[in-house]
Amino acid sequence: MDMSIAYGGSYTDNLIGTLLAIFGNVLVSISLSIQKYSHVTLAGTKDLRAFYRTKTWWCGFVLTCVGEGANFISYAFAPLALVAPLNAVSVLASSILGLIFLREKSKPKDFAKRYGLSFLGCLLTIGGTYLFVAFGPNSHEKLKAENIVNHLVGWPVLLYLLLEIITFCLLLYFYKQRNANSLIIILMLVALLGSVTVITVKAVSGMLVLTFEGTMQLDYPIFSVMFVCMVASVVFQASFLSQACKLHDSSLIASVNYILSTVLAVVAGAVFYLEFNKEDILHISMFLLGSAFCFLGVFLITKNRKKTKNFEPYVTMDMVNGVPTIHDKGLVVQPDSNCSFSYGALVNNDGVAPATHSVNLEQPPVRSRSSNASNGQPDLKRD
């Protein structure tokens, strides 16, 4: 098949894409910390949406949009295999900001035990990031509409999409029909959708960049197809992530989702965009080693994060209905930021939505005094 593909092999494009991805991930981490600080300051208010009226929350929202925009543009310059693992930078920045900016403290006797592993995880993440950036793929392609169509109709991509669809349908069947709420099953669904997301994001981003450079690509049908698939995969991916956050610990979700999403994103880049075709064994091995270091580093960082507070009930009496009500003392200060993600990778925020449960307690029957008299016991003084 004649595929008019132009591989430039430009290290400048790799550098631009890498810097944009790092900048975007750091900016997203800062914005989430600012938004969480806004929720912390309003923890005692009765209005659960009071943070919408604060400047800090909106400042964090604007920074989130700018950071995600930088991540989006980075896919047009650097290969998927290089951009996808860089989401570890967001986890690394979040852990540092959580310790400094939000002043998360622990007892001196627990500091070495908790933050020792986190510090080791930070070192592994930094070292792994350097390895896979230095030895990552350097293949570049002008993402014209014709090239994307040629990739899409190739038999390796069709086989990959077929296997992905079959796997997704099987996992969805077990999740919906068999009530299999395992963390691996839910996050595999997220990762499979994430691989579609990164493929479409790179295609849409590349065509937009070419359009801004003067080569119109927006009037091709493939652009509309990729854009619709991108939006749909993002929406469903967010839905599954939200369900995962309700059932499992967010710290565990952060590490497992990062590993699964990164692996499938790298495989998608290798199959769809042929990113490793011109790489030798040494570069591929060092890239895999750097990715493994990042996986282990993210796992160690998230392993020592604060766990969600256990349910601590206290009981009050509903004076209107006369029914005791159980309330949760451990209210979460950031209800709207349980999970957020960046094109297939989870940037986690600890917390679950508070719940109030009503409990109907059966009261024992009240016996009248006359029943005691019927049992042969003498009556007391009668007026």
Side-chain angles (χ1 to χ4, degrees), residues 34-208:
I34 292 175
Q35 286 183 321
K36 187 173 181 179
Y37 178 78
S38 176
H39 285 276
V40 169
T41 56
L42 298 174
T45 59
K46 297 181 179 180
D47 187 5
L48 297 178
R49 300 185 178 274
F51 52 86
Y52 285 135
R53 297 188 293 270
T54 61
K55 295 181 180 179
T56 54
W57 191 90
W58 283 105
C59 178
F61 177 78
V62 171
L63 291 178
T64 300
C65 295
V66 175
E68 293 294 351
N71 284 328
F72 179 80
I73 299 174
S74 68
Y75 283 88
F77 292 94
L80 281 181
L82 189 60
V83 177
L86 285 174
N87 288 292
V89 176
S90 181
V91 180
L92 176 64
S94 296
S95 64
I96 297 174
L97 291 173
L99 179 63
I100 299 176
F101 181 73
L102 297 176
R103 298 179 181 179
E104 296 180 357
K105 299 179 180 179
S106 63
K107 295 180 181 180
K109 63 180 181 180
D110 298 331
F111 184 86
K113 178 180 178 181
R114 178 181 178 188
Y115 292 103
L117 287 178
S118 296
F119 181 73
L120 178 60
C122 291
L123 293 179
L124 289 174
T125 303
I126 295 173
T129 301
Y130 171 77
L131 285 178
F132 73 71
V133 168
F135 295 94
N138 192 40
S139 61
H140 296 270
E141 175 185 358
K142 294 294 183 180
L143 294 178
K144 297 180 180 179
E146 296 87 350
N147 294 340
I148 295 175
V149 172
N150 289 333
H151 282 301
L152 190 59
V153 298
W155 71 265
V157 175
L158 294 178
L159 179 60
Y160 172 78
L161 293 178
L162 178 62
L163 293 176
E164 188 172 80
I165 292 173
I166 293 175
T167 305
F168 183 85
C169 292
L170 289 175
L171 292 175
L172 188 62
Y173 170 77
F174 284 107
Y175 176 66
K176 293 293 186 180
Q177 300 298 327
R178 302 291 184 178
N179 294 324
N181 295 327
S182 173
L183 178 63
I184 297 298
I185 292 180
I186 300 177
L187 293 186
M188 274 298 297
L189 292 170
V190 174
L192 290 171
L193 289 171
S195 65
V196 177
T197 302
V198 293
I199 289 174
T200 55
V201 164
K202 185 173 179 62
V204 172
S205 178
M207 284 188 282
L208 285 175

Side-chain angles (χ1 to χ4, degrees), residues 199-238:
I199 289 174
T200 55
V201 164
K202 185 173 179 62
V204 172
S205 178
M207 284 188 282
L208 285 175
V209 169
L210 287 178
T211 300
F212 290 148
E213 292 177 352
T215 305
M216 175 57 66
Q217 301 291 319
L218 306 185
D219 54 353
Y220 288 92
I222 190 62
F223 176 81
S224 301
V225 172
M226 287 294 182
F227 183 81
V228 171
C229 292
M230 179 185 70
V231 174
S233 61
V234 167
V235 171
F236 285 107
Q237 189 179 358

Side-chain angles (χ1 to χ4, degrees), residues 250-269:
S250 58
S251 298
L252 183 60
I253 292 173
S255 58
V256 176
N257 184 72
Y258 168 74
I259 295 173
L260 294 178
S261 297
T262 302
V263 169
L264 288 183
V266 172
V267 173

